[in-house]
Amino acid sequence: MGEHHGPDGPLHAAAVDDAAPALLAAWDAARERATPRLSWPQLNALLVVERQEGVNLRGLAGELKMILSSASRLCDRLVASGMVERVPGRVDRREIALYLTPSSRQLLDDLRRTRREILGEVLGRMSTAGRAALIRGLTEFSAAAASAEGESQARTA
């Protein structure tokens, strides 16, 4: 366990922090190319609805860390543009459940495909060893982040 908190920990964090903007720029370029009509908050809302089909407005607001009225306005815009549909809840008809539309599913598929194309172009300029090391490292980073998330949820439960 000590290796994670060694004296070079801050150096590693700085190196990752310095490299992160390149990754975020690729994501932003993909969003701009695939979903130019959507803002980041709108895209994030679609991703929440995709992960939690049937989420209600309160749940959406909580996931987006927004107040209910802001989430409601955001949802209104997504409904008006045909990205999200509101369906009365199965248990409580007054409760509104949110679902993606076929066009928003297509949009998210296009976004992921575009993002992978852009990332693939950058990865193609790397050495084979560099690519393998990056993928191994990102896989481990993702697992460590998920583990930390699980621990923090367990503490707050």
Side-chain angles (χ1 to χ4, degrees):
M1 233 15 193
E3 68 184 85
H4 297 291
H5 303 289
D8 58 351
L11 290 176
H12 291 166
V16 170
D17 191 43
D18 289 347
L23 184 58
L24 294 175
W27 276 49
D28 204 27
R31 184 191 64 83
E32 208 35 62
R33 197 185 302 171
T35 60
R37 304 185 322 276
L38 290 181
S39 66
W40 274 115
Q42 289 171 322
L43 178 57
N44 286 334
L46 289 183
L47 293 170
V48 169
V49 175
E50 181 186 44
R51 274 194 318 272
Q52 300 177 33
E53 286 280 342
V55 67
N56 63 20
L57 204 50
R58 192 170 303 286
L60 178 67
E63 284 292 315
L64 296 174
K65 296 175 178 41
M66 295 177 115
I67 60 172
L68 199 54
S69 59
S70 297
S72 181
R73 283 192 300 276
L74 180 61
C75 188
D76 289 344
R77 287 193 298 274
L78 289 170
V79 168
S81 64
M83 295 285 124
V84 169
E85 71 178 315
R86 292 185 178 111
V87 177
R90 290 191 188 95
V91 179
D92 180 351
R93 305 291 291 165
R94 292 166 303 179
E95 188 70 50
I96 300 299
L98 304 172
Y99 292 90
L100 295 182
T101 62
S103 62
S104 62
R105 287 182 198 287
Q106 183 62 56
L107 195 100
L108 292 176
D109 287 347
D110 291 347
L111 172 67
R112 288 185 177 105
R113 189 172 43 260
T114 302
R115 203 164 55 200
R116 287 172 183 170
E117 285 169 10
I118 291 171
L119 290 171
E121 291 164 11
V122 176
L123 290 167
R125 292 192 290 270
M126 294 176 66
S127 69
T128 305
R131 263 193 314 273
L134 177 66
I135 291 165
R136 208 169 41 249
L138 286 174
T139 301
E140 190 174 323
F141 182 92
S142 181
S147 163
E149 175 71 20
E151 288 171 14
S152 99
Q153 285 178 349
R155 277 196 300 274
T156 59

